[in-house]
Amino acid sequence: MIDGGVVSWVTVAAVFLSNVPEGLSSAAGMKKAGRSTAYIFGVWGGIAIISGIAALLGYALFSHFSQEIIAATTAVAAGAILAMITDTMIPEAFEQAHDFAGLIVVLGFLTAFVLSKLG
């Protein structure tokens, strides 16, 4: 996107739809914990605003960086997302490996990526 690419509406819709269950789950958890509706909407509204600002700043800042820095930053972000998904979506693995579950999954994906590039 920094080079002038565009994101299709299908991608935007997919990202939106994939986040709906997570948002509903979080909202239900906050409601169950006794938080008010105003608090829940305030948290999600704040997250939306901060995310928009972060995206704008990232676009403005990274448009001046080299492809290597952008690639490294993207790789770190991808690893962080994999670790987060592992910790939240695979609780059995987290129970057994504790804090190492995310690292193990990221190393597995990294190994698969390296092997796919070697072959």
Side-chain angles (χ1 to χ4, degrees), residues 20 50-51 62 71 75 86 95 107 109 113:
V20 169
I50 291 169
S51 295
F62 277 79
T86 301
E95 284 179 17
L107 290 174
F109 273 93
F113 174 76

Side-chain angles (χ1 to χ4, degrees), residues 44-96:
W44 282 115
I47 289 171
I49 291 168
I50 291 169
S51 295
I53 292 169
L56 178 63
L57 288 174
Y59 178 79
L61 293 173
F62 277 79
S63 64
H64 304 294
F65 290 165
S66 69
Q67 292 296 323
E68 291 81 13
I69 292 175
I70 294 170
T73 304
T74 303
V76 169
I81 290 171
L82 285 172
M84 180 190 68
I85 288 170
T86 301
D87 289 347
T88 57
M89 301 298 287
I90 310 174
E92 295 84 13
F94 188 72
E95 284 179 17
Q96 296 296 319

Side-chain angles (χ1 to χ4, degrees), residues 34-52:
R35 298 293 185 173
S36 69
T37 303
Y39 175 86
I40 295 168
F41 277 102
V43 166
W44 282 115
I47 289 171
I49 291 168
I50 291 169
S51 295

